[in-house]
Amino acid sequence: MADIHRHDYADRERLAEALAAGVAAKLAGGLATRGHASLAVSGGSTPRRFFEALSRADLDWGSVMVLLVDERLVPPDHERANAGLVRRHLLQNRAADARFVPYVVDAHTPAECARLSEEAFAQDGHRLDACVLGMGTDGHTASFFPGGDLLTEALDTRSHRKVLPIYAQGAGEPRLTLTLGPILDARFVALHIEGDEKRGVLETALAGTETAEMPVRAVLHQSAAPVHVFWAP
Ligand SMILES: O=C(O)[C@H](O)[C@@H](O)[C@H](O)[C@H](O)COP(=O)(O)O
């Protein structure tokens, strides 16, 4: 099992402020030591308060690259696009100056979208300073869905691929996702979950090891990176 650090909060507002402070500290460290920093965030409904709290952090955001852990293959202005969620809730206030690098979603095929996105991310080639994951009640994280067609390659930390397309029945749309390698290579890995149901899913994931059944286990049962689990009811 990974070196798991549990951070429980009385409510979702306190969690959002604490997670934003932790991520901001990591970004400030990257800016101070390397002059630039990078952050990967997840989509879905959970991160909104966290994004808004982080958007107020006093950082040199112009030197911070923001990218998505994963994206739904829909037009950029579609209501399900994670890029829109980031633009509305994170890229505002002080964070409006951040350099957001969205996935390429308008190429001919998902595989071409993944390759073009990988090229865009590779230009910055450095380790993420922080990566914030979510989790679904089916035990997916990023777009590592049970039954995903390229799930095995996506979870192979020896793969040279950083971005892969994923088709999975439970995913809604076809997805693009960072692979496990760059996620676990991040200097700070957080899993942000809320509610009693997801706490139960987390306990089940921690209690078992079958990764295909609950792909979040690939993050929870590894020795490469400590994992900070943030939870509120
Ligand atoms: O595109 C996505 O859906 C996310 O990146 C995904 O991994 C998300 O973190 C979980 O599905 C949880 O989503 P909720 O926060 O909506 O429960």
Side-chain angles (χ1 to χ4, degrees):
M1 185 179 297
D3 178 11
I4 305 275
H5 300 258
R6 303 288 292 260
H7 308 271
D8 290 356
Y9 294 88
D11 59 52
R12 300 180 179 187
E13 290 71 23
R14 286 183 177 89
L15 185 162
E17 292 299 331
L19 179 55
V23 168
K26 288 297 177 182
L27 296 176
L31 292 166
T33 55
R34 281 171 276 110
H36 56 78
S38 56
L39 165 65
V41 293
S42 294
S45 58
T46 301
R48 201 162 302 181
R49 286 186 190 86
F50 158 60
F51 285 168
E52 291 177 358
L54 183 59
S55 76
R56 297 190 289 271
D58 184 8
L59 295 170
D60 173 18
W61 282 101
S63 300
V64 176
M65 179 179 81
V66 174
L67 58 97
L68 281 161
V69 168
D70 61 338
E71 180 61 287
R72 295 92 179 262
L73 273 174
V74 294
D77 59 354
H78 191 282
E79 62 176 6
R80 294 241 328 138
N82 287 333
L85 182 81
V86 168
R87 287 196 171 97
R88 286 190 299 277
H89 298 285
L90 178 54
L91 304 182
Q92 60 173 332
N93 304 320
R94 293 175 186 266
D97 295 335
R99 189 164 64 83
F100 178 47
V101 182
Y103 285 94
V104 173
V105 296
D106 56 2
H108 295 300
T109 65
E112 192 175 1
C113 290
R115 187 178 52 75
L116 292 170
S117 299
E118 196 156 43
E119 287 170 8
F121 297 160
Q123 286 165 16
D124 287 82
H126 53 268
R127 283 176 69 186
L128 290 167
D129 290 280
C131 180
V132 183
L133 301 170
M135 184 186 73
T137 53
D138 61 353
H140 84 264
T141 190
S143 282
F144 308 152
F145 285 86
D149 60 339
L150 294 182
L151 180 63
T152 300
E153 183 174 2
L155 298 182
D156 180 357
T157 53
R158 294 158 306 175
S159 169
H160 70 281
R161 296 299 304 271
K162 289 186 182 294
V163 179
L164 283 176
I166 289 267
Y167 289 86
Q169 191 166 2
E173 315 76 6
R175 299 291 190 98
L176 296 177
T177 187
L178 285 182
T179 55
L180 184 62
I183 290 172
L184 297 184
D185 191 41
R187 292 176 171 86
F188 177 74
V189 180
L191 179 65
H192 176 194
I193 58 174
E194 295 176 349
D196 291 337
E197 184 180 13
K198 286 193 180 180
R199 185 171 60 178
V201 172
L202 173 70
E203 299 309 335
T204 302
L206 289 168
T209 55
E210 179 47 57
T211 302
E213 176 191 30
M214 297 185 83
V216 70
R217 286 172 171 158
V219 173
L220 298 172
H221 296 276
Q222 47 76 30
S223 57
V227 179
H228 294 264
V229 181
F230 285 74
W231 177 83

